[in-house]
Amino acid sequence: MTLEGLPAGESIDMEALQTFLDRRAPGRNDWSTPRKEADQPEFLSGLVGNVTCGAPLTAIIRNTNTRSGDYDGLSVVPRPGHADYTAGVKYGGHADFAGGGAFSGRLTAPLCIAGGICLQLLKKQGIEVISRIASIGSVEDVTPLTVSTADKPFPVVDDAVGETMRAEIAAAKAEGDSVGGIVECAVLGLPAGLGGPLFDGMEGRISSIVFGIPAVKGIEFGIGFGAVRLRGSENNDPFVVENGTVRTTTNHCGGILGGITNGMPLTFRAAFKPTPSIAKEQQSVNLNTLTPEILRVRGRHDPCIVPRAVPCIEAAAAIAVYDALLGQS
Amino acid sequence: MTLEGLPAGESIDMEALQTFLDRRAPGRNDWSTPRKEADQPEFLSGLVGNVTCGAPLTAIIRNTNTRSGDYDGLSVVPRPGHADYTAGVKYGGHADFAGGGAFSGRLTAPLCIAGGICLQLLKKQGIEVISRIASIGSVEDVTPLTVSTADKPFPVVDDAVGETMRAEIAAAKAEGDSVGGIVECAVLGLPAGLGGPLFDGMEGRISSIVFGIPAVKGIEFGIGFGAVRLRGSENNDPFVVENGTVRTTTNHCGGILGGITNGMPLTFRAAFKPTPSIAKEQQSVNLNTLTPEILRVRGRHDPCIVPRAVPCIEAAAAIAVYDALLGQS
Amino acid sequence: MTLEGLPAGESIDMEALQTFLDRRAPGRNDWSTPRKEADQPEFLSGLVGNVTCGAPLTAIIRNTNTRSGDYDGLSVVPRPGHADYTAGVKYGGHADFAGGGAFSGRLTAPLCIAGGICLQLLKKQGIEVISRIASIGSVEDVTPLTVSTADKPFPVVDDAVGETMRAEIAAAKAEGDSVGGIVECAVLGLPAGLGGPLFDGMEGRISSIVFGIPAVKGIEFGIGFGAVRLRGSENNDPFVVENGTVRTTTNHCGGILGGITNGMPLTFRAAFKPTPSIAKEQQSVNLNTLTPEILRVRGRHDPCIVPRAVPCIEAAAAIAVYDALLGQS
Amino acid sequence: MTLEGLPAGESIDMEALQTFLDRRAPGRNDWSTPRKEADQPEFLSGLVGNVTCGAPLTAIIRNTNTRSGDYDGLSVVPRPGHADYTAGVKYGGHADFAGGGAFSGRLTAPLCIAGGICLQLLKKQGIEVISRIASIGSVEDVTPLTVSTADKPFPVVDDAVGETMRAEIAAAKAEGDSVGGIVECAVLGLPAGLGGPLFDGMEGRISSIVFGIPAVKGIEFGIGFGAVRLRGSENNDPFVVENGTVRTTTNHCGGILGGITNGMPLTFRAAFKPTPSIAKEQQSVNLNTLTPEILRVRGRHDPCIVPRAVPCIEAAAAIAVYDALLGQS
């Protein structure tokens, strides 16, 4: 993981960073894989005594707990919904299947190191990134997202709904199955004027990072797909002046107009598909013989990736926003 | 509009390109703005007698029908839902408001030139991009998208549903209001193995271009947000062999696994918000006096941008896919 | 020509820009080609009344005086020293040979538009780019470069040496031959701290643009190749304090240490080969028959490109420096 | 060090790579610093059993032999000719001075890992990169470069001249001084048609990497600055046909016409300034007090960096050439 362009002289709180990384790390509870990974980054450059020195910041995490045997044979009988087949087509027999290689959710760990650092640098400028689980399967948390859920073991706003979500995950797990969900994110304290038109817009900048997180299949800003059903007169956010500042009375646009922030919270939601690696029997094919084959995936997999995806989404948002801030002249 | 990296020796069918551009051009019917713009590109470089010569291909379109007076005052009393306010914050009083400047939907014209050329080059390789209006307001066309709607004046699969959609647009227009919708797109004939993991994935590549189209507020691949409600065993697309080729029986993943194409149709849907420029009175503020002001937008605006957005989405998909194909070694 | 990232609100002096472009334009005197080209840019976007508006700034120049017949046959019997052969290999029969296409020195006109704008923006920050002809053939101007030569018809510091250089050019022209030379450039008033280590260094940033100018075959910073013959104790520039500012007593390093400016003038020299298109008979081959063929190049070509290259070098330096300034956070 | 875009399935000869890296490593003889560094890369990703797997290839080298005390105080009394002062201006007191940080010649080690891999991949395509010391101080090796010098402890073509060069280095060392030199490089077996016009030219691609090597202050292609003194009729390389292939009888252009390779050897020369860190007393200033101060640099430094720079130049050329080859469609 290498971050370029960080200003020199910024001190990084390593303890806070580790706390952030622990939110993503697996093996902490009953809804995530029992694989235990330390996720302790080792910084190779860019820091002098926890202070950025202007050089590119590079950190690595070693993968200490891979049971390669778990992944034998996946290049011959690919898991449905996973990248086994497409990686095999692209890279031939050379793809790295141990632990999922470049397609593994584990690769969100370096994203979280980079994002965790950006989150700290944003906070110094009064910008906060908060997020929560908005839904698991068909269970939705409809209370508004206004405060951080970072301290909660299960990051929802409404803990009662959270209990129902956990039951949904437990039910899927009991059946050897998995379940998806939605993560909602808000960036608070952003100045107006960040981003730009066309391919420079905040929507494109954020989505190109968020789609780098495995299992994301959709993203929407503000009310997103919901805007489709509204009339323009309902969807447009009226301008008002509050304490000498221009605000909008609603925030259907998610704080972005014409690709540029308007000073309201920047909000978006990302859809995560259910984890493709499930214990249930599935229909696949043997790529050597081109005959059907029933697959039962071994290995230790999350019945639901969504809780651990919450800090990944915060990291992605922080990277995109901090990059846009740095690029301003 | 400049396209770099096109191979030399590819002939461009200018008539077909113009036909494609005409699908986007305004002023052709009652659901689009009465502004008439020719949208005839002038090619400045990159072609020798309609054949690519290896140099960057540059084309321009002149904006012949701007009535600047229509846009007076928007920098003082910004239109809700539009970029007037955010552009003013970013660029000061210097933003170009005539015709919406860099934030105008007219800037999809150059996107369509680039995309129209890519569409022709893809077709030579047996790759076709089709799309349709999937919904207008709450009216949905649920018939599957399997063939091109390019020849239809109103690009839907089910023409009866199309009539209802047109009525919805007419109703909004009659009220001085606007309405949004969803465009669905499918890329047929793609080889498996295109794209890559993480930030190189097809979802990110496509979304970063699609979000460059004004008014897009969401995108989803395959069943997208719908996958959230499915179990992994339901969402995973089972592999089968058909005529010696690996296929999947369903296509919930939209033809993309781990960011890489799997040989099935690549499908996605983009959500367009209702046009923010409406004739109805709206609440805004005077930025000079910081007092409330009621705004009634003059100018000639589409009551619904979605029909004209269909070729834009095809263009965006074609550019992303052709770029990924060119980048393959 | 498109410039992105310019701040909004900067006014461009169009008269000064045209004066700058005229320094590059051909047909003005006896040492340049008699082709007369207007080099009048037409601005398509990015400006509102000569003030930047934040949108990408695009300008075009039309090539009004091409005699295509002059270039017939060059794809069959390529000119030695020119790109005819290599362009033919790369682009097949599709390369654009009229006026030299993408390989023509005429393509320095858009470079000069971009550079002329950057020069104006730099000047507002107290940064000046000056340059001069340092040598033509073996005639050298060894007086130091300290002031602009922009107002001179033949841009040298020592006008007497300039007369000898002009005689050298006239002699080459009389023989149907051409001659090369060196352009020296200095950027004055730069702050210390611009650039970065490794691939971010000012040398690499400047050279990647300067080598985009046709006929450049070498570049050196400060005393460049001359440093090779010095001991470290001779080459190192001693630090001193002058009026509270850190300076160096010599400037062998050309104002760049570790890729970063040190506050002294940034200096470099670029070597231009003699114009390859000469009237003299030359040995070539017929690419259809693969037999030897004697070539006599028709067309109107500069016997020496160096005088017209002086503003191009200033433009390249200005673009690289202004880009580095904009990128600072 | 991360290399992206390598095709999957390429096996890397680790022994050959280490042999290449050893050519750059210090501490092997009397003309290089007595610091002994292993330069043994550790590969973190991108390889499965020494075969590329399609994922980005990342390797690290740990700096095992830094004596930080050697570098104390350099941020207060900067070394002339070194980046101490400019890094301090740019990064404040936060620059990493241990071992020179991001400005150290040690950072050519990762360049050589990347380049060493590219060299192997080029060799499989019949492309060889050779180089040699062309001069040390004023001692020049004028015999043509036609074969590799990789096996020689002192990489010159004419070993007798090499002895004189070594004496020159020894003399500088004895005086606590340093000396510079020129490295010449040739890429053999390149196909014609690689590169492109303007900013895509091979000269710009190569120079932007070569200037990333610390101490390089100039680069020239073919006869470079020497072309300045020739007439066009002398400098142009006449085309001939040899065994059915188009060749040139001379190679003044260094195998590049219009930025594109012509099938002849691609040749260039890079000028290295004398190592700035010398034992001799030098004039500097105390940045805290802004008073003059005499500096005597401690630490173990090469009296001449040029011999160890030879593989770095090969690495830079290999990276640029292989990148251009991969980018071809």
Side-chain angles (χ1 to χ4, degrees):
Chain A
M1 189 287 305
T2 297
L3 263 182
E4 293 190 45
L6 292 185
E10 299 283 357
S11 74
I12 307 298
D13 180 337
M14 286 298 166
E15 201 171 332
L17 180 60
Q18 191 61 54
T19 301
F20 178 71
L21 296 177
D22 288 345
R23 290 172 57 200
R24 193 214 71 90
R28 296 183 308 149
N29 44 46
D30 58 340
W31 59 80
S32 82
T33 166
R35 279 185 284 109
K36 281 197 194 305
E37 290 165 14
D39 265 11
Q40 280 180 326
E42 177 185 358
F43 288 88
L44 300 179
S45 69
L47 292 180
V48 177
N50 291 357
V51 176
T52 59
C53 68
L57 187 152
T58 297
I60 61 173
I61 296 181
R62 289 177 192 278
N63 201 345
T64 51
N65 187 22
T66 304
R67 299 199 313 209
S68 255
D70 287 351
Y71 296 95
D72 286 353
L74 298 181
S75 59
V76 175
V77 183
R79 288 169 290 178
H82 213 281
D84 304 333
Y85 172 63
T86 55
V89 170
K90 187 168 190 78
Y91 304 116
H94 308 290
D96 179 6
F97 285 98
F103 300 91
S104 168
R106 294 178 202 172
L107 286 186
T108 53
L111 180 82
C112 283
I113 300 175
I117 291 170
C118 292
L119 283 168
Q120 293 189 15
L121 300 178
L122 287 172
K123 211 161 198 173
K124 294 182 188 181
Q125 302 186 34
I127 298 168
E128 195 184 11
V129 179
I130 60 177
S131 63
R132 58 103 167 252
I133 303 174
S135 75
I136 295 290
S138 50
V139 184
E140 295 179 37
D141 181 358
V142 294
T143 50
L145 169 63
T146 53
V147 292
S148 172
T149 65
D151 293 335
K152 298 190 178 186
F154 194 84
V156 284
V157 175
D158 182 333
D159 293 329
V161 175
E163 282 307 308
T164 318
M165 290 175 173
R166 290 164 79 153
E168 181 85 2
I169 297 173
K173 186 184 181 185
E175 299 172 27
D177 214 334
S178 65
V179 65
I182 294 173
V183 176
E184 185 180 353
C185 180
V187 187
L188 312 178
L190 272 182
L194 212 59
L198 302 173
F199 308 116
D200 220 28
M202 291 308 297
E203 292 101 336
R205 285 161 171 267
I206 291 172
S207 66
S208 67
I209 299 181
V210 166
F211 277 120
I213 303 173
V216 173
K217 296 302 278 187
I219 190 169
E220 58 184 1
F221 293 82
I223 59 167
F225 279 86
V228 164
R229 292 166 181 271
L230 299 186
R231 288 284 168 88
S233 58
E234 298 165 317
N235 183 59
N236 285 348
D237 302 303
F239 286 114
V240 290
V241 174
E242 280 177 20
N243 303 323
T245 303
V246 176
R247 314 272 297 166
T248 58
T249 56
T250 53
N251 189 18
H252 297 150
C253 72
I256 310 173
L257 290 172
I260 302 177
T261 56
N262 68 356
M264 296 293 291
L266 189 163
T267 64
F268 68 92
R269 292 154 46 98
F272 286 81
K273 69 177 183 182
T275 323
S277 292
I278 55 176
K280 266 195 171 173
E281 287 191 349
Q282 294 181 87
Q283 166 101 41
S284 185
V285 297
N286 183 307
L287 295 177
N288 290 340
T289 60
L290 287 184
T291 49
E293 196 158 318
I294 297 300
L295 179 71
R296 199 164 175 283
V297 180
R298 289 172 297 151
R300 303 151 295 168
H301 302 286
D302 288 359
C304 183
I305 200 71
V306 180
R308 290 176 53 208
V310 169
C312 302
I313 287 291
E314 293 177 15
I319 291 169
V321 164
Y322 189 67
D323 181 63
L325 273 169
L326 275 188
Q328 280 190 319
S329 51
Chain B
M1 188 287 306
T2 297
L3 262 180
E4 292 189 46
L6 291 183
E10 300 282 356
S11 75
I12 308 298
D13 181 336
M14 286 298 168
E15 203 171 330
L17 180 60
Q18 191 61 54
T19 302
F20 178 71
L21 295 178
D22 288 344
R23 291 172 58 202
R24 192 213 71 90
R28 296 183 307 147
N29 44 47
D30 57 340
W31 59 81
S32 81
T33 164
R35 280 183 284 109
K36 279 197 195 306
E37 290 165 15
D39 264 11
Q40 280 179 325
E42 177 187 358
F43 288 89
L44 300 179
S45 70
L47 294 178
V48 178
N50 291 356
V51 176
T52 58
C53 69
L57 188 152
T58 296
I60 61 173
I61 296 181
R62 289 177 194 278
N63 201 348
T64 53
N65 187 22
T66 303
R67 298 199 313 209
S68 255
D70 286 351
Y71 297 94
D72 285 354
L74 298 181
S75 58
V76 175
V77 183
R79 289 169 292 178
H82 212 282
D84 304 331
Y85 172 63
T86 55
V89 170
K90 189 171 187 75
Y91 306 117
H94 309 289
D96 180 6
F97 287 97
F103 301 89
S104 167
R106 295 178 201 171
L107 286 186
T108 54
L111 180 84
C112 283
I113 300 174
I117 291 170
C118 292
L119 283 167
Q120 292 189 18
L121 300 178
L122 288 173
K123 211 162 198 171
K124 295 181 187 181
Q125 302 186 35
I127 297 168
E128 194 184 11
V129 179
I130 60 177
S131 63
R132 58 100 167 254
I133 302 174
S135 75
I136 295 289
S138 51
V139 185
E140 294 179 37
D141 182 358
V142 295
T143 51
L145 169 64
T146 53
V147 292
S148 172
T149 65
D151 293 336
K152 298 190 178 186
F154 195 84
V156 285
V157 175
D158 182 333
D159 293 329
V161 175
E163 282 307 308
T164 317
M165 290 175 174
R166 289 164 78 152
E168 181 85 1
I169 296 172
K173 187 185 182 184
E175 300 171 27
D177 213 333
S178 64
V179 66
I182 294 173
V183 176
E184 184 181 352
C185 181
V187 187
L188 311 177
L190 271 183
L194 213 59
L198 302 174
F199 308 114
D200 220 28
M202 291 309 296
E203 293 101 335
R205 285 159 171 267
I206 291 172
S207 66
S208 66
I209 300 181
V210 167
F211 277 118
I213 303 172
V216 173
K217 296 301 278 187
I219 191 168
E220 59 183 0
F221 292 83
I223 58 167
F225 280 85
V228 164
R229 292 167 180 272
L230 298 186
R231 288 285 166 86
S233 58
E234 298 165 315
N235 183 59
N236 285 346
D237 301 303
F239 286 114
V240 290
V241 174
E242 280 178 21
N243 303 322
T245 303
V246 175
R247 311 274 294 166
T248 57
T249 56
T250 53
N251 189 20
H252 297 150
C253 72
I256 310 172
L257 290 172
I260 302 176
T261 57
N262 69 355
M264 297 293 290
L266 188 163
T267 64
F268 69 92
R269 292 154 47 96
F272 288 80
K273 69 177 181 182
T275 323
S277 292
I278 55 176
K280 265 193 173 173
E281 287 191 347
Q282 294 181 84
Q283 165 102 40
S284 184
V285 296
N286 183 307
L287 295 177
N288 290 339
T289 59
L290 287 183
T291 51
E293 195 157 319
I294 297 300
L295 179 72
R296 198 164 175 283
V297 180
R298 287 170 300 149
R300 304 151 297 169
H301 302 284
D302 288 0
C304 184
I305 200 70
V306 179
R308 291 175 55 207
V310 169
C312 302
I313 287 289
E314 293 178 15
I319 292 169
V321 164
Y322 188 66
D323 180 65
L325 273 168
L326 276 187
Q328 280 190 321
S329 54
Chain C
M1 187 289 303
T2 296
L3 263 182
E4 293 190 45
L6 292 184
E10 300 282 356
S11 75
I12 308 298
D13 180 336
M14 285 299 167
E15 203 171 329
L17 180 61
Q18 191 61 53
T19 302
F20 178 71
L21 296 177
D22 287 345
R23 291 172 56 201
R24 192 213 71 91
R28 295 182 309 147
N29 45 47
D30 58 340
W31 59 80
S32 82
T33 166
R35 278 183 285 109
K36 282 197 193 305
E37 290 164 15
D39 265 12
Q40 281 180 325
E42 178 187 356
F43 289 87
L44 301 178
S45 68
L47 293 179
V48 177
N50 292 355
V51 176
T52 58
C53 68
L57 187 152
T58 295
I60 62 173
I61 295 180
R62 289 176 193 279
N63 201 347
T64 51
N65 186 23
T66 303
R67 299 197 314 209
S68 255
D70 288 349
Y71 297 94
D72 284 355
L74 298 181
S75 58
V76 176
V77 183
R79 288 170 291 178
H82 213 283
D84 304 332
Y85 172 63
T86 53
V89 170
K90 188 168 189 79
Y91 306 117
H94 308 289
D96 180 6
F97 286 98
F103 300 90
S104 168
R106 294 178 203 172
L107 287 187
T108 53
L111 180 82
C112 283
I113 301 174
I117 291 170
C118 291
L119 283 168
Q120 292 189 17
L121 300 179
L122 288 173
K123 212 161 197 171
K124 295 181 189 180
Q125 303 186 33
I127 297 168
E128 194 184 12
V129 180
I130 61 177
S131 62
R132 57 101 165 254
I133 303 175
S135 75
I136 294 290
S138 51
V139 185
E140 294 179 38
D141 182 357
V142 294
T143 49
L145 169 64
T146 53
V147 291
S148 173
T149 65
D151 293 335
K152 299 190 177 186
F154 194 84
V156 284
V157 175
D158 182 332
D159 292 329
V161 176
E163 283 306 308
T164 318
M165 289 175 175
R166 290 163 79 152
E168 181 86 1
I169 297 173
K173 187 184 181 185
E175 299 171 28
D177 214 332
S178 64
V179 65
I182 294 173
V183 176
E184 185 180 351
C185 182
V187 187
L188 311 178
L190 272 182
L194 213 59
L198 302 174
F199 308 115
D200 220 28
M202 291 309 297
E203 293 102 335
R205 285 161 171 263
I206 290 172
S207 66
S208 67
I209 299 182
V210 167
F211 277 118
I213 302 172
V216 174
K217 295 302 278 188
I219 191 169
E220 57 183 1
F221 292 83
I223 59 167
F225 279 87
V228 165
R229 291 167 181 272
L230 298 186
R231 288 285 166 87
S233 58
E234 298 165 316
N235 183 58
N236 284 348
D237 301 304
F239 286 114
V240 290
V241 173
E242 280 177 20
N243 303 323
T245 304
V246 175
R247 313 273 296 165
T248 58
T249 56
T250 54
N251 189 17
H252 297 150
C253 73
I256 310 172
L257 291 173
I260 301 177
T261 57
N262 69 354
M264 296 293 290
L266 188 163
T267 65
F268 68 92
R269 292 154 47 97
F272 286 82
K273 69 177 183 183
T275 324
S277 293
I278 55 175
K280 267 195 172 172
E281 288 190 349
Q282 294 182 86
Q283 166 101 40
S284 185
V285 297
N286 183 306
L287 295 177
N288 290 340
T289 61
L290 287 183
T291 51
E293 197 157 316
I294 297 300
L295 179 71
R296 200 165 173 281
V297 179
R298 288 173 299 152
R300 303 152 297 168
H301 302 285
D302 288 358
C304 183
I305 199 72
V306 179
R308 291 175 56 208
V310 169
C312 301
I313 287 290
E314 293 178 15
I319 292 168
V321 164
Y322 189 66
D323 181 64
L325 273 169
L326 275 187
Q328 281 190 318
S329 51
Chain D
M1 189 286 306
T2 297
L3 264 181
E4 293 190 46
L6 291 184
E10 299 283 357
S11 75
I12 308 299
D13 180 336
M14 286 297 167
E15 203 172 330
L17 179 60
Q18 191 61 53
T19 302
F20 178 71
L21 296 178
D22 288 344
R23 290 172 58 202
R24 193 214 70 90
R28 296 183 307 146
N29 45 48
D30 58 341
W31 59 80
S32 82
T33 165
R35 279 183 284 109
K36 281 197 194 306
E37 291 165 13
D39 265 11
Q40 280 180 326
E42 176 187 359
F43 288 88
L44 299 179
S45 70
L47 293 178
V48 177
N50 292 356
V51 176
T52 59
C53 69
L57 188 151
T58 296
I60 61 173
I61 296 180
R62 289 177 193 277
N63 201 347
T64 51
N65 186 22
T66 304
R67 299 199 311 213
S68 256
D70 287 351
Y71 297 94
D72 285 355
L74 298 181
S75 58
V76 175
V77 183
R79 287 169 292 178
H82 213 282
D84 304 331
Y85 172 63
T86 54
V89 170
K90 189 170 188 76
Y91 305 117
H94 309 290
D96 179 7
F97 285 97
F103 300 90
S104 168
R106 295 179 201 170
L107 286 187
T108 54
L111 181 83
C112 283
I113 301 175
I117 291 170
C118 291
L119 283 168
Q120 292 190 17
L121 301 178
L122 288 172
K123 211 162 200 172
K124 294 182 188 181
Q125 301 187 36
I127 297 168
E128 194 184 10
V129 179
I130 61 178
S131 64
R132 59 99 167 252
I133 302 174
S135 76
I136 295 289
S138 52
V139 185
E140 295 180 36
D141 182 358
V142 295
T143 50
L145 169 65
T146 54
V147 291
S148 172
T149 65
D151 294 336
K152 298 191 178 186
F154 194 84
V156 284
V157 175
D158 182 333
D159 293 329
V161 176
E163 283 307 309
T164 318
M165 289 175 174
R166 290 164 78 151
E168 182 86 2
I169 296 173
K173 186 184 182 184
E175 299 171 28
D177 214 333
S178 65
V179 65
I182 294 173
V183 176
E184 185 180 352
C185 181
V187 187
L188 312 177
L190 272 183
L194 212 60
L198 302 175
F199 308 115
D200 219 27
M202 291 308 297
E203 293 101 335
R205 286 160 170 266
I206 291 172
S207 67
S208 68
I209 300 182
V210 167
F211 276 118
I213 303 173
V216 174
K217 294 302 278 187
I219 190 169
E220 58 184 1
F221 293 83
I223 58 168
F225 279 85
V228 164
R229 292 167 180 270
L230 298 186
R231 289 285 166 87
S233 59
E234 300 165 316
N235 183 59
N236 285 347
D237 302 302
F239 287 115
V240 290
V241 173
E242 281 178 19
N243 303 322
T245 303
V246 175
R247 312 274 295 167
T248 58
T249 57
T250 52
N251 189 19
H252 297 149
C253 72
I256 310 173
L257 290 172
I260 302 177
T261 57
N262 69 355
M264 298 293 290
L266 188 163
T267 64
F268 69 91
R269 292 154 46 96
F272 287 81
K273 69 176 181 182
T275 324
S277 293
I278 55 176
K280 266 193 172 175
E281 287 190 349
Q282 294 182 86
Q283 166 101 43
S284 185
V285 297
N286 182 306
L287 296 176
N288 290 339
T289 60
L290 287 184
T291 51
E293 195 157 320
I294 298 299
L295 179 72
R296 200 164 174 284
V297 179
R298 289 172 299 152
R300 302 151 296 167
H301 302 285
D302 288 0
C304 183
I305 199 73
V306 179
R308 291 174 54 205
V310 169
C312 301
I313 287 290
E314 293 178 14
I319 291 169
V321 165
Y322 188 67
D323 181 64
L325 274 168
L326 276 187
Q328 281 190 319
S329 53

